[in-house]
Amino acid sequence: MKFYTFGIQRTCTNLAKATVLINFWCEYGNVNDFGHWSWKHSPDAEQATANLNQSTPVIFCYKKPISWVEGLKKNDVDFINKYGLAKYEDYTDPELIIKNSLFSWSLPKALDIWISFHIDWIKYLHRCNYVIMRQHEMTEQPLVIDVLSKIQYRLGLVKKMPNWTIIDRYVNHGGRIEENLYKDKEKTLSEKQVQYIQNKIPKEIIKFYEE
């Protein structure tokens, strides 16, 4: 059976793909081309889901907004360039400018993109048979077992082995499992930046994806 994964950048879509393929008899359906309807980071949920049906298995990858910004800060050049985050108005609050080794970029602009992406997918996820794979659940027992069970029974994917295989290491863009253990614990945002994120994100998004 063919399955698809979708999610904004830095939401562990590579980990999701590897986890599903190692545990289930299935085929990955996405095309790695940002112009294709099935690009895993597609912000156009209407177009993507128009090519699916209500029985199509979809894994939607989600990362809590504070952790997502922390991930961007570590150095996501492609996302920063694609959405022009390094180009921001002079009046932007300097305390809301995120800095890493390569760029200074706008936290407000990044969150606008994050919000727009997730609202669009809320509108259209009902068109397919989906499970939300929350990043923090994929690295903690027994939460990861619950996610895999939902994929098995809700999406109808056939399990390969009696026991689940859990990936606790980084998975790169090519799908290779690396040696480094996965960790997402480092906190580098200021208190003001964290407060801004918490106040900015609509409660409807949090309710849909986190509850």
Side-chain angles (χ1 to χ4, degrees):
M1 181 181 291
K2 187 176 290 188
F3 76 98
Y4 296 84
T5 62
F6 294 100
I8 200 169
Q9 290 88 333
R10 309 300 302 182
T11 53
C12 299
T13 51
N14 295 320
L15 174 62
K17 172 186 174 182
T19 299
V20 173
L21 288 174
I22 205 170
N23 282 287
F24 300 98
W25 298 108
C26 56
E27 178 186 354
Y28 184 62
N30 298 75
V31 174
N32 188 26
D33 179 353
F34 71 86
H36 194 271
W37 66 264
S38 70
W39 182 47
K40 63 183 179 180
H41 301 310
S42 174
D44 191 343
E46 181 177 15
Q47 182 189 39
T49 56
N51 290 275
L52 308 175
N53 58 58
Q54 290 191 324
S55 64
T56 305
V58 168
I59 314 295
F60 187 88
C61 299
Y62 175 82
K63 196 172 188 179
K64 292 182 177 181
I66 292 174
S67 295
W68 179 76
V69 174
E70 291 279 11
L72 278 188
K73 186 175 180 180
K74 290 177 183 177
N75 192 7
D76 195 314
V77 176
D78 290 342
F79 186 87
I80 293 168
N81 283 336
K82 179 176 178 59
Y83 291 101
L85 300 187
K87 298 178 181 178
Y88 48 84
E89 294 80 3
D90 293 337
Y91 55 78
T92 302
D93 186 339
E95 294 188 63
L96 299 181
I97 301 302
I98 305 290
K99 297 181 180 180
N100 60 24
S101 59
L102 296 177
F103 289 104
S104 295
W105 49 272
S106 168
L107 175 58
K109 287 187 71 171
L111 288 183
D112 285 343
I113 294 163
W114 189 95
I115 291 169
S116 176
F117 185 98
H118 288 85
I119 287 177
D120 201 50
W121 276 94
I122 286 175
K123 295 177 182 177
Y124 296 103
L125 266 175
H126 70 276
R127 289 179 168 179
C128 51
N129 188 17
Y130 71 93
V131 163
I132 296 174
M133 184 177 280
R134 302 170 182 90
Q135 175 269 335
H136 65 281
E137 294 179 344
M138 295 309 299
T139 56
E140 296 181 14
Q141 295 271 22
L143 297 177
V144 62
I145 303 301
D146 182 55
V147 174
L148 290 171
S149 296
K150 287 179 180 177
I151 292 172
Q152 178 183 10
Y153 295 109
R154 189 179 300 173
L155 304 190
L157 298 187
V158 178
K159 188 177 179 181
K160 285 183 178 180
M161 303 290 289
N163 296 323
W164 297 114
T165 300
I166 310 303
I167 300 174
D168 59 359
R169 300 175 187 274
Y170 284 99
V171 179
N172 65 23
H173 292 293
R176 186 173 65 85
I177 301 173
E178 300 182 350
E179 293 297 322
N180 297 330
L181 286 171
Y182 184 88
K183 57 181 180 179
D184 191 39
K185 305 297 184 183
E186 186 179 6
K187 306 302 178 187
T188 63
L189 298 177
S190 70
E191 184 176 340
K192 180 171 182 176
Q193 290 166 348
V194 169
Q195 191 67 46
Y196 179 83
I197 295 169
Q198 291 173 334
N199 293 336
K200 176 91 171 176
I201 304 300
K203 291 181 174 59
E204 292 78 8
I205 293 181
I206 301 299
K207 182 176 181 179
F208 183 88
Y209 291 104
E210 297 186 22
E211 296 181 2

